[in-house]
Amino acid sequence: MQKSPTKVVAGNWKMHGSLEMLAEYVSVLARALSSQRSEATDRAMVVLFPPIGYLVPLSEQLRVCGLQDQIVIGAQDLHPESQGAFTGDMSGAMLRDLGARWVLIGHSERRQYHAEDDQLVARKAAAALAAELTPVICVGETAEQRDSGDAERVVERQIQAVAQALGAEGLQQCLIAYEPVWAIGTGRTATAATAQSMHAAIRAQLAGLTGETDNRIPVLYGGSVKAANAAELFAQRDIGGGLVGGASLDPQEFAAIIAAGDGALSADVTTR
Ligand code: 13P
């Protein structure tokens, strides 16, 4: 386990990219980071979540471009069981074999298109820890839930299910990503104040669940994060970094978001 006080800037490529794009992407990102990071102290921790099939090519390309120590890679999902007759699925141990160290769990697109409920999300989080992967638990309310005043209750319930399965000690090895569904891929970012208010509620819940008050569990914001709004979001007290979708596909844009995380106020991050 390694512990570093830093923001986390994570890119979720979702089902985007190609081998051709990947080679170009990493070299452009390497150039952008080497010019902007030489002075940076307190660098953001950078994580990329490519489609599973690109985990190995991505880590090779990161090595070729000298970024292997600056960027961690992770998977977008895993199966809750460690092995078995589950055609098309991947276990945590398999993902680790392919170089993944982190894994997204319960992204709203998995909840929506693969009918993942809180119980399955909790089982996946437990499977990730068993495979020594760092889970990023994604939570967030829909527009309807926000409009009916249920946003905080929904997010609290989603976190509670994971807390129940993992216990305080397990929960402390996770990160939370608050991604309001209405802000994902819509260009409609939560305002910094709206995001901060939910993050403060999440922090209070985490403190109640773990007894910790020192921001040990980073809470990332996701939903239309881009270079233009990253610095303001990252300046919020309880925002520990960003989970970036669309904007992470453009290496220049992603580098600018990383720059907003470099040197920003710190949260504690525990990683494997
Ligand atoms: P966008 O940044 O494209 O809104 O996606 C956010 C997201 O879902 C990251 O996991």
Side-chain angles (χ1 to χ4, degrees), residues 82-108:
S82 59
Q83 61 177 338
F86 303 110
T87 302
D89 283 315
M90 294 284 283
S91 71
M94 292 169 186
L95 296 170
R96 220 187 137 78
D97 273 349
L98 297 180
R101 293 294 174 265
W102 290 36
V103 62
L104 297 179
I105 311 259
H107 190 281
S108 63

Side-chain angles (χ1 to χ4, degrees), residues 12 14 107 109 179 183-186 222-225 243-246:
N12 173 12
K14 309 191 179 186
H107 190 281
E109 287 147 17
E179 301 203 301
I184 294 178
T186 58
S224 299
V225 175
L243 179 54
V244 187

Side-chain angles (χ1 to χ4, degrees), residues 45-244:
M45 162 169 270
V46 183
V47 191
L48 280 174
F49 295 94
I52 293 178
Y54 297 140
L55 282 168
V56 171
L58 178 59
S59 56
E60 275 164 11
Q61 198 59 32
L62 291 173
R63 209 172 6 256
V64 167
C65 294
L67 286 181
Q68 73 277 12
D69 298 329
Q70 290 189 52
I71 299 185
V72 176
I73 60 172
Q76 298 174 10
D77 180 44
L78 86 171
H79 194 277
E81 299 294 330
S82 59
Q83 61 177 338
F86 303 110
T87 302
D89 283 315
M90 294 284 283
S91 71
M94 292 169 186
L95 296 170
R96 220 187 137 78
D97 273 349
L98 297 180
R101 293 294 174 265
W102 290 36
V103 62
L104 297 179
I105 311 259
H107 190 281
S108 63
E109 287 147 17
R110 301 287 316 171
R111 293 179 192 257
Q112 183 179 354
Y113 303 125
H114 297 266
E116 295 195 3
D117 61 14
D118 289 343
Q119 278 59 46
L120 180 57
V121 168
R123 286 176 61 217
K124 288 186 172 196
L129 289 182
E132 302 197 343
L133 296 168
T134 297
V136 180
I137 313 294
C138 303
V139 298
E141 80 286 357
T142 62
E144 296 71 40
Q145 288 164 333
R146 175 155 286 267
D147 291 344
S148 56
D150 281 337
E152 286 191 15
R153 248 192 312 273
V154 167
V155 167
E156 187 180 339
R157 191 199 65 222
Q158 291 171 333
I159 293 175
Q160 182 62 35
V162 174
Q164 230 155 26
L166 301 188
E169 212 179 296
L171 193 60
Q172 283 169 320
Q173 297 175 58
C174 299
L175 290 85
I176 305 290
Y178 169 58
E179 301 203 301
V181 177
W182 46 269
I184 294 178
T186 58
R188 191 185 152 202
T189 322
T191 63
T194 302
Q196 164 56 28
S197 151
M198 180 64 87
H199 280 240
I202 294 173
R203 279 246 144 275
Q205 184 188 4
L206 293 174
L209 287 166
T210 65
E212 299 271 358
T213 51
D214 60 354
N215 291 6
R216 176 104 35 110
I217 303 172
V219 185
L220 314 184
Y221 170 79
S224 299
V225 175
K226 35 190 185 284
N229 58 26
E232 193 191 0
L233 287 162
F234 295 168
Q236 303 305 306
R237 224 188 85 138
D238 296 309
I239 296 185
L243 179 54
V244 187

